[in-house]
């Protein structure tokens, strides 16, 4: 049993109630968290606004690097805690810890990089003998709200760049997965992070998240989560910067000329990793007619290798989804698709929050399963006539996060890159492929086009000050 407390400016709250954290696999209580109150929320904002003693770049870089080293030393404990609170397979927890280590490493490196530019002003008929310089200044107070599906890495992607930029941040993690977020905060404080630079608050939405979003002196809200909550935040936040990283409905397009082995691997990995709960999971497989029968046969075979079960067993590749209602929802959209003519070729069995990886063929284009985001280990196959058909189907949803295209034909790859209306196009890779400092984020309902990734996020967590001097 893990017992933790919310933190206001580095100090554990005395607690106005507790939150129980349960293991999605068997419902066992695995942790409790002392909750913050409305007064704690106000105190966290006040502490961030009052903070003046920003550590130097060197000190911030050292704090991030010491945190990275501490996380490496406790890798297995963090991975296990992810498995316990999120129900993800232990191997997914380990992968996520590895990604978080990368985020901290890159943030530590980027902290040291100079971010200024210089403009000579004698370059036009209107010019003068001066120079303009830019420098990046921290914000006074940022707020980050994170989802359950990558409980550690999503947090690191907010907190790491904020610290790198010198901006105090208040984090509101998902109440379904608060444990590793609080454990990471403990590592950061132990590594020397001044308390006022980070508060971590769990508590009722009306006492924590909503007042933070509305607070007139909070300068940025960075939110990762569902479209519905993201749009609600956009409607209520008022005059402040917003970074919204929302849901996705990413296609994997498989053309007739694809390397079939690669296509099957990418479809399975993209659909089932992290129990299919990645914003960039493969949520629709658009397969050209010529290759569809053989692709489908091999994907069914491959899917049977994805052992689904107890997240803590080493053999398990697919753990639970986040809770039973989410698994029931997935079961429902599969049934709807079947009623409309689709066929379940393997999987589909549900036990509590556990849903076996499921291949569904002949999925009609207007099924809820593929029109909306299905956040779980489903692999819906839709046949397409040719590349143009695939591109128009891919673009025909409200989402625009990422995409993958499997082809050996360069002109097809180039056309897909030019035509797909989304934040990322990965050729011969899953939509979710990225490195932790590359720009990442979606358009349309998936986001406002403001990217995350360590380098872009540092820009969001700061503003550019311009100054000029005679030269
Ligand atoms: P969610 O239900 O939107 O919750 C996300 C966060 O918002 C949680 O911390 C939640 O707190 C909080 N929240 C709920 N209501 C709020 C309100 N009225 N005001 C402010 N905050 C509020 O999302 P989720 O189910 O945790 O995560 C899954 C979704 O995230 C999927 O749609 C997935 O695609 C998306 N996602 C997107 C990206 C990306 O980069 N584009 C990455 C990962 C996930 P409580 O936990 O207390 O309810």
């Amino acid at each position: 049993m893990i017992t933790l407390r919310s933190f206001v400016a580095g100090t554990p709250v005395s607690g106005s109630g507790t939150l129980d954290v349960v293991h999605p696999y068997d419902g066992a209580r695995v942790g409790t968290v002392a909750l913050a109150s409305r007064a704690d929320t106000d105190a966290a904002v006040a502490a961030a606004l009052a903070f003046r003693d920003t550590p130097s770049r060197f000190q911030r870089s050292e704090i991030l690097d010491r945190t990275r080293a501490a996380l490496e030393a406790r890798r297995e404990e963090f991975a296990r805690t992810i498995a316990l609170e999120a129900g993800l397979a232990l191997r997914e927890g380990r992968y996520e810890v590895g990604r978080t280590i990368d985020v901290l490493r890159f943030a530590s490196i980027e902290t040291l990089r100079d971010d200024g530019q210089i403009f000579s002003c004698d370059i036009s008929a209107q010019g003068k003998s001066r120079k303009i310089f830019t420098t990046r200044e921290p914000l006074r107070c940022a707020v980050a709200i994170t989802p359950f599906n990558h409980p550690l890495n999503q947090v690191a992607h907010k907190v790491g760049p904020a610290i790198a930029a010198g901006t105090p941040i208040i984090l509101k993690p998902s109440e379904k997965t608060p444990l590793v977020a609080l454990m990471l905060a403990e590592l950061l404080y132990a590594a020397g992070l001044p308390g006022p630079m980070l508060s971590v608050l769990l508590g009722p939405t009306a006492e924590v998240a909503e007042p933070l979003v509305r607070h007139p002196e909070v300068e940025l809200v960075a939110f990762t989560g569902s479209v519905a909550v993201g749009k609600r935040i956009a409607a209520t936040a008022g005059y402040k910067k917003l970074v919204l990283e929302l849901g996705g409905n990413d296609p994997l397009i498989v053309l007739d000329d694809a390397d079939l082995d690669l296509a099957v691997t990418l479809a399975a990995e993209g659909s089932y990793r992290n129990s299919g709960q990645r914003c960039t999971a493969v949520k629709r497989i658009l397969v050209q007619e010529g290759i569809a029968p053989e692709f489908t046969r091999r994907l069914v075979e491959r899917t049977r290798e994805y052992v689904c079960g107890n997240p803590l067993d080493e053999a398990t590749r697919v753990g639970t989804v986040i809770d039973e209602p989410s698994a029931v929802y997935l079961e429902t959209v599969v049934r709807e698709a079947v009623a409309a003519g689709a066929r379940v070729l393997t999987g589909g069995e549900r036990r509590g929050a556990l849903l076996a990886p499921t291949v569904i063929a002949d999925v009609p284009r207007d099924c809820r399963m593929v029109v909306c985001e299905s956040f779980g280990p489903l692999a819906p196959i839709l046949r397409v006539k040719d590349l143009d058909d695939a591109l128009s189907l891919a673009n025909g949803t409200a989402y625009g996060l990422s995409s993958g295209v499997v082809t050996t034909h360069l002109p097809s790859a180039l056309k897909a890159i030019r035509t797909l209306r989304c934040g990322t196009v990965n050729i011969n890779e899953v939509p979710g492929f990225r490195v932790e400092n590359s720009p990442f984020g979606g358009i349309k309902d998936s986001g406002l086009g403001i990217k995350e990734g360590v380098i872009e996020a540092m820009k969001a967590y700061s503003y550019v000050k311009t100054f000029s001097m005679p030269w």
Side-chain angles (χ1 to χ4, degrees):
M1 230 333 241
I2 302 169
T3 305
L4 292 164
R5 290 172 176 274
S6 299
F7 287 105
V8 173
T11 305
V13 300
S14 50
S16 59
T18 55
L19 169 73
D20 285 339
V21 184
V22 298
H23 186 31
Y25 180 65
D26 59 9
R29 195 158 63 117
V30 293
T32 64
V33 172
L35 296 176
S37 62
R38 176 62 204 261
D40 292 321
T41 304
D42 292 341
V45 177
L49 293 172
F51 186 65
R52 295 283 177 274
D53 205 10
T54 310
S56 69
R57 283 172 188 273
F58 172 70
Q59 289 167 330
R60 292 181 337 248
S61 176
E62 289 282 289
I63 289 165
L64 288 162
D65 200 47
R66 280 196 291 269
T67 305
R68 176 201 54 74
L71 179 59
E72 290 208 25
R74 289 173 58 187
R75 207 181 250 269
E76 200 57 21
E77 178 193 346
F78 273 74
R80 201 180 154 79
T81 307
I82 291 173
L84 285 174
E85 64 179 340
L88 296 171
L90 196 49
R91 58 168 71 199
E92 298 293 0
R94 291 181 183 132
Y95 178 67
E96 179 160 347
V97 174
R99 289 184 63 190
T100 307
I101 286 167
D102 284 350
V103 172
L104 293 167
R105 179 183 289 115
F106 295 150
S108 169
I109 292 168
E110 292 302 326
T111 309
L112 300 178
R113 210 183 293 281
D114 200 85
D115 50 28
Q117 287 181 291
I118 305 175
F119 298 81
S120 295
C121 302
D122 58 348
I123 58 169
S124 83
Q126 287 67 246
K128 275 190 171 178
S129 184
R130 296 180 66 82
K131 276 189 193 287
I132 293 174
F133 302 81
T134 69
T135 183
R136 283 194 171 266
E137 299 271 327
L139 306 182
R140 291 184 65 211
C141 178
V143 162
I145 301 176
T146 51
F148 69 80
N149 63 311
H150 287 297
L152 182 64
N153 197 39
Q154 289 296 347
V155 166
H157 265 289
K158 310 281 189 225
V159 171
I163 294 169
T167 291
I169 184 165
I170 301 169
L171 170 72
K172 208 303 282 171
S174 168
E175 66 172 21
K176 292 169 183 155
T177 54
L179 300 179
V180 280
L182 289 162
M183 286 163 62
L184 180 67
E186 288 180 340
L187 296 189
L188 283 158
Y189 299 134
L193 184 71
M197 285 195 71
L198 175 66
S199 293
V200 187
L201 307 179
L202 272 303
T205 305
E207 306 220 355
V208 177
E210 284 176 355
L212 287 174
V213 165
R214 290 202 167 97
H215 201 294
E217 290 190 80
V218 166
E219 290 181 316
L220 162 75
V221 174
F223 171 80
T224 300
S226 63
V227 175
V229 175
K231 287 191 172 179
R232 191 188 160 111
I233 287 173
T236 54
Y239 186 71
K240 51 177 64 81
K241 272 175 140 178
L242 279 185
V243 178
L244 300 175
E245 303 296 347
L246 310 181
N249 189 14
D250 292 357
L252 183 74
I253 296 174
V254 180
L255 297 180
D256 277 350
D257 56 55
D259 171 336
L260 194 55
D261 247 3
L262 178 67
V264 169
T265 300
L266 297 179
E269 287 287 285
S271 299
Y272 309 140
R273 290 292 304 273
N274 222 55
S275 297
Q277 299 170 125
R278 294 182 79 175
C279 52
T280 52
V282 170
K283 302 201 176 107
R284 301 176 286 157
I285 308 174
L286 314 186
V287 190
Q288 200 172 352
E289 284 163 356
I291 204 174
E294 184 59 9
F295 170 85
T296 305
R297 190 186 68 72
R298 286 168 67 167
L299 180 61
V300 168
E301 242 170 46
R302 184 69 63 83
T303 297
R304 295 190 174 127
E305 295 170 14
Y306 281 74
V307 177
C308 175
N310 186 339
L312 296 175
D313 283 352
E314 289 292 343
T316 296
R317 289 175 76 174
V318 181
T320 67
V321 293
I322 190 64
D323 51 25
E324 185 163 355
S326 303
V328 169
Y329 173 80
L330 295 164
E331 212 180 19
T332 307
V333 295
V334 171
R335 285 205 184 118
E336 284 175 10
V338 169
R343 292 175 300 130
V344 174
L345 301 182
T346 187
E349 309 86 23
R350 182 184 70 79
R351 185 159 48 88
L354 210 55
L355 182 75
T358 304
V359 178
I360 315 105
D362 303 331
V363 177
R365 295 182 175 197
D366 58 354
C367 274
R368 184 152 62 130
M369 182 200 295
V370 286
V371 172
C372 302
E373 180 179 43
S374 296
F375 218 50
L378 305 183
I381 299 175
L382 291 82
R383 288 195 186 202
V384 291
K385 199 156 69 55
D386 52 25
L387 177 62
D388 287 341
D389 188 25
L391 295 175
S392 99
L393 183 55
N395 282 339
T397 71
Y399 302 92
L401 190 54
S402 187
S403 58
V405 182
V406 197
T407 180
T408 52
H409 187 234
L410 183 61
S412 297
L414 295 177
K415 184 170 187 180
I417 292 168
R418 280 194 299 265
T419 312
L420 286 166
R421 285 268 302 149
C422 56
T424 300
V425 180
N426 285 326
I427 304 301
N428 291 331
E429 249 306 345
V430 289
F433 175 78
R434 62 193 281 204
V435 288
E436 309 302 327
N437 65 354
S438 63
F440 168 80
I443 57 169
K444 297 161 70 181
D445 273 5
S446 298
L448 298 174
I450 301 169
K451 299 277 192 185
E452 283 204 332
V454 171
I455 294 171
E456 292 300 308
M458 283 174 68
K459 294 178 190 164
Y461 288 106
S462 58
Y463 73 92
V464 176
K465 180 179 277 177
T466 304
F467 60 97
S468 75
M469 314 244 291
W471 202 259

